[in-house]
Amino acid sequence: MLILALAGLTAKVLGPGGDPVVPKAVLSSQQHYAEDGAIALRASIDERVTDLRRTATALNAGKPAEPEDVLSDLGRTYQKWTGTTVVDLESGDVLAARGERIPLAWLDKEVLTGKTALVPRMVRLETGDVRLMTMAVLDWKDRPQQLLIASNSLSVPPITLGPFRTMAVAAKGGEVLATAGFERSEALNSDQERTELEFLQKQMSDLSGQAAEHTEQHPVTAKEPGSRGYPGVSGTLVGDDYNGRVVTAGYASLASSDPEEKDSVAAGLGLTVVAMLPVVAEQSAGAAGRELYGLIAAGALVVLGLLAAAVLWARVQRPLLRLFLESRRLARGDLTRPVGTFRGGEAARIGSALERLRGQLGGPGGPGGASGGSRAAGAGSASGPSSW
């Protein structure tokens, strides 16, 4: 029974695998998509920060300008910002605003002072959308300092996604800030398609959380010793399967193009780009070979178990059963027939011992002879079973 149980365990472990097999090339392509997206997003954020700071530096070097004029000139020069605002740092009043309304509840002492002063911040609007707030100080002589704020939509990098591929930007805690690729699915009609869309959106949320956790590692410790390539942390993930397709994902943290470069503002925001693609699960040749090997091994164990059972029955169980019957016969006083012979092993030694005992009790052919057997039987009758 133990051998049969081992055969069943072997068939389960080495037999048909329950996990879908994803080609390494598919996972690698997802990782490269995420790395390209991270590079593009880092460059875009750094460019926006540089443009606003360069504008503020140029304004501070010239004559004082009215806030309305500053925003008008900024809007004509750059059209990438969704909203701009000038705030008086002394009083906190809004001096001018253009475009999308920028909430100011997130402005506090930590934003304006210390080591994190004027570092871009991600702010969620009342509509649920996320905006990246970029800041610069306008400082003219004989005027209170003013804070120039520009908001940008934190959009997914404009990379050709192709059919069924989606991308997301996740924050440090794993929260999905922006996605791309799900928009075209809004016009779905069937319930099955909508169910699959909900499944993919949940998978994106779960995988983004896992990716954000992985990217908290240091780029040096996250890689194998001596490995090169993308300067940040990147890798692949495999999600759940649905309707014959398994979800694959690649992730990459925003990192400077040069590991020694320290001026990338975007690289310090803790953002992660995740690229996701559901693919058809396949069975590789190695998995098929493993399945065949498992079945052969399980079959061999079954045959071995049957052979072991047959040998134990022929060499152990049947002789023991015969010895048991012989001992019962001798105990009843039937000493006429000799004890059967056995071929080798413990059964033969026990059989010889029973035969000697039969002779000592006076069985025919034994040392005591027939009369000894009659005396022993008579004595047994006289004294009872207990004395015998």
Side-chain angles (χ1 to χ4, degrees):
M1 293 301 296
L2 289 175
I3 292 178
L4 291 178
L6 179 60
L9 183 62
T10 302
K12 180 175 179 60
V13 174
L14 297 180
D19 298 331
V21 178
V22 179
K24 291 184 178 180
V26 175
L27 294 175
S28 298
S29 66
Q30 294 306 105
Q31 182 177 358
H32 295 327
Y33 262 99
E35 291 173 354
D36 293 342
I39 292 173
L41 182 61
R42 177 195 60 81
S44 176
I45 294 177
D46 286 343
E47 181 185 9
R48 298 173 192 177
V49 174
T50 301
D51 289 342
L52 190 68
R53 290 178 177 176
R54 185 184 295 117
T55 299
T57 301
L59 290 172
N60 291 333
K63 296 180 180 180
E66 294 298 325
E68 293 287 350
D69 297 334
V70 170
L71 297 186
S72 298
D73 294 341
L74 190 63
R76 285 194 297 267
T77 306
Y78 302 106
Q79 298 180 354
K80 61 178 113 181
W81 287 297
T82 58
T84 52
T85 300
V86 176
V87 179
D88 190 328
L89 286 178
E90 184 176 342
S91 62
D93 297 333
V94 176
L95 303 179
R98 288 286 188 277
E100 183 179 59
R101 178 180 173 274
I102 297 178
L104 301 177
W106 53 276
L107 277 175
D108 54 18
K109 184 177 180 181
E110 293 182 358
V111 177
L112 302 175
T113 59
K115 295 181 179 179
T116 59
L118 304 181
V119 174
R121 300 295 176 97
M122 288 170 290
V123 177
R124 187 174 292 277
L125 305 180
E126 296 178 356
T127 59
D129 297 329
V130 177
R131 295 290 184 265
L132 179 66
M133 301 297 175
T134 309
M135 297 159 282
V137 174
L138 300 178
D139 190 6
W140 289 295
K141 188 177 180 180
D142 300 331
R143 276 197 181 188
Q145 287 185 328
Q146 300 171 0
L147 183 65
L148 175 60
I149 307 174
S151 66
N152 299 96
S153 59
L154 193 64
S155 57
V156 176
I159 296 178
T160 304
L161 298 178
F164 308 113
R165 180 178 279 109
T166 54
M167 295 188 74
V169 179
K172 199 167 188 179
E175 180 186 7
V176 177
L177 303 178
T179 60
F182 290 120
E183 306 85 26
R184 60 179 180 276
S185 303
E186 294 178 354
L188 299 178
N189 297 321
S190 67
D191 293 338
Q192 181 178 356
E193 291 176 339
R194 282 191 287 268
T195 302
E196 184 173 1
L197 175 60
E198 293 177 359
F199 165 77
L200 293 176
Q201 289 175 337
K202 185 177 184 303
Q203 284 291 293
M204 177 62 83
S205 178
D206 295 342
L207 294 174
S208 296
Q210 297 179 34
E213 184 177 350
H214 288 308
T215 53
E216 290 182 1
Q217 307 175 76
H218 192 277
V220 175
T221 59
K223 299 179 181 179
E224 296 181 359
S227 62
R228 294 182 175 271
Y230 186 69
V233 180
S234 65
T236 58
L237 296 169
V238 178
D240 299 332
D241 60 297
Y242 179 83
N243 199 19
R245 294 190 298 170
V246 60
V247 176
T248 63
Y251 62 89
S253 63
L254 271 62
S256 303
S257 56
D258 184 356
E260 300 298 329
E261 184 181 346
K262 306 298 183 183
D263 297 329
S264 176
V265 175
L269 296 178
L271 299 178
T272 303
V273 175
V274 182
M276 188 181 76
L277 177 68
V279 298
V280 177
E282 298 179 357
Q283 289 292 335
S284 64
R290 187 195 69 172
E291 177 179 345
L292 179 61
Y293 172 76
L295 295 178
I296 292 175
L301 287 173
V302 170
V303 173
L304 179 62
L306 294 176
L307 290 176
V311 170
L312 290 175
W313 170 257
R315 299 297 302 273
V316 177
Q317 182 130 355
R318 288 188 62 189
L320 285 177
L321 181 60
R322 288 180 57 191
L323 288 170
F324 171 72
L325 297 176
E326 292 286 354
S327 65
R328 291 289 300 273
R329 180 174 63 83
L330 296 178
R332 291 195 305 268
D334 184 1
L335 307 176
T336 57
R337 290 185 293 110
V339 176
T341 59
F342 300 89
R343 293 180 299 176
E346 294 295 329
R349 285 190 284 271
I350 297 175
S352 300
L354 287 177
E355 178 62 21
R356 288 193 299 270
L357 178 61
R358 187 186 72 86
Q360 292 173 2
L361 293 175
S371 61
S374 300
R375 288 195 300 271
S381 300
S383 57
S386 59
S387 62
W388 181 82

